[in-house]
Amino acid sequence: MIRQEILKNIKRVVIKIGSSVISNRDKGRSSLECGLSKDWVRHYARKIKQVQDKGYDVVLVSSGAIMAGRERLGLSRADLSIPEKQACAAIGQSFLMHTYEKAFEKKDIKVAQILLSNDDLGNRRRYLNAKHTIEALLERGVIPIINENDSVTVEEIKIGDNDTLSATVACLVDAQLLIILSDVEGLYDRDPSLKKNKGEKAVLISHVARVNEEIERTAGKSNNRLTVGGMYTKVIAAKKTMSFGIPTLVVNGLDEKVLENIFSGKEVGTLFWSGKGKIRGRKHWIAHTLKPAGSLIVDAGAKKALVERGKSLLPAGIIKTKGEFEFGKAVRVIDETGKEIGRGLVNYNSRDLEQIKGMKTPAIKKMIGGSFYEEVIHRDDLVIF
């Protein structure tokens, strides 16, 4: 019933296709030798056409550029250098898009390539520009195909993985459903690939109402060297969309009928859905899109003021700063036990904040003069988890 209720409210869906789903692993190759499977790309062009014909807007987030480029360059090593990965992404992305374009062209559907980086999503103006571009494409029946701009990004500015990217895109375009197509059925209560004593079998978890530490531990890491992140990144992506009020389905993309099953209301995969949204708009962008540049450890009094009374963070409540950051950057707010209680945009750089932490307003005014911010993080720029 839950899934059928969700389907009633869907107008826009983001579908993320993992590398393992569109690889040519069926040719007996190892995961390190896999390239792009045109057959699977054509398969999903047909299936997405069917979804679009039902009246849904579809945004596609597709992995596979590095995988495709690695095959075309004849590289099979897993330990590629960053320039080699970027070279693979450059040649592979064009081949990936060419393959998608040919497949969708047969269905009389136009596609558009959008490459994003963390710099794009971390800048509010560029973030909104990306949103407006995607909206304009969808209005014209075009399917945006989105990937990270791997040919120019390095670890320090990477979004991280396409599970995270798909969750960000789902929030960006105000989708009502995120579908993550993987090579597993969903989230299990234990790793199904590991042998257990006494014949215990891993059990698929059909519904997750809240992503807590236990669920994150259950997700673990991936054993598939073809992919980045594994189930853990999918759970974190779902946590992000749940906070925005978007349900997420993690399903087996190697099941050829999985999209039909989803849109007929059948219980496939794992549904992440709490039944309500919590954070919207700009505050969600602060909490889940910006990469924190540092941390502020606050005392019990400041924590109470922030969490229970909805106050701004003042210098007096700060015990310690971690990291180097500039004015306007996002930082974590952490209590004395080490638990993250929120994130926000700071009105001071780390150097100045190190000087005034723990001080009352009159003392700061006397030291700095009249030109200073009373709040380290104003409540309008603060998200409490």
Side-chain angles (χ1 to χ4, degrees), residues 133-192:
T133 298
I134 295 171
E135 292 285 353
L137 292 169
L138 292 174
E139 286 176 8
R140 290 156 178 81
V142 179
I143 293 182
I145 301 179
I146 301 172
N147 199 357
E148 183 161 9
N149 196 357
D150 288 317
S151 62
V152 296
T153 55
V154 292
E155 197 63 35
E156 290 76 12
I157 60 172
K158 273 184 70 68
I159 295 168
D161 57 82
N162 275 1
D163 294 323
T164 300
L165 176 61
S166 67
T168 301
V169 170
C171 299
L172 174 72
V173 301
D174 295 316
Q176 289 80 47
L177 178 64
L178 169 62
I179 299 172
I180 297 179
L181 300 176
S182 183
D183 58 354
V184 294
E185 298 294 332
L187 176 65
Y188 286 86
D189 64 348
R190 68 197 72 183
D191 189 340

Side-chain angles (χ1 to χ4, degrees), residues 295-299 332-342:
S295 302
L296 305 179
I297 291 82
V298 300
D299 61 28
R332 296 183 178 92
V333 180
I334 299 173
D335 66 16
E336 292 178 273
T337 69
K339 180 180 179 181
E340 184 178 5
I341 61 173

Side-chain angles (χ1 to χ4, degrees), residues 198-340:
K198 301 180 181 179
E200 293 179 350
K201 280 189 175 182
V203 177
L204 181 68
I205 302 172
S206 176
H207 181 207
V208 175
R210 179 170 176 263
V211 176
N212 51 27
E213 291 182 2
E214 182 181 353
I215 291 294
E216 291 181 20
R217 283 195 301 270
T218 300
K221 301 292 183 182
S222 172
N223 292 322
N224 187 344
R225 297 179 71 185
L226 181 64
T227 63
V228 177
M231 187 55 65
Y232 179 78
T233 59
K234 293 167 179 55
V235 167
I236 297 304
K239 184 177 183 179
K240 178 175 183 174
T241 57
M242 288 170 75
S243 71
F244 199 76
I246 301 172
T248 292
L249 271 170
V250 178
V251 297
N252 185 0
L254 302 180
D255 177 353
E256 294 184 0
K257 294 185 177 180
V258 70
L259 289 184
E260 290 105 309
N261 290 335
I262 289 172
F263 286 96
S264 63
K266 293 182 180 179
E267 290 208 2
V268 292
T270 301
L271 172 66
F272 294 84
W273 176 230
S274 63
K276 58 183 179 180
K278 298 178 182 179
I279 311 171
R280 305 295 290 182
R282 183 172 175 273
K283 286 204 171 187
H284 192 276
W285 173 73
I286 292 172
H288 293 294
T289 300
L290 298 182
K291 279 193 173 183
S295 302
L296 305 179
I297 291 82
V298 300
D299 61 28
K303 177 181 177 180
K304 185 174 182 179
L306 298 176
V307 175
E308 298 180 15
R309 295 161 53 201
K311 297 294 185 179
S312 300
L313 177 61
L314 305 179
I318 299 174
I319 301 172
K320 186 179 180 181
T321 67
K322 288 186 177 181
E324 295 182 4
F325 47 85
E326 298 299 324
F327 172 92
K329 292 295 184 179
V331 297
R332 296 183 178 92
V333 180
I334 299 173
D335 66 16
E336 292 178 273
T337 69
K339 180 180 179 181
E340 184 178 5

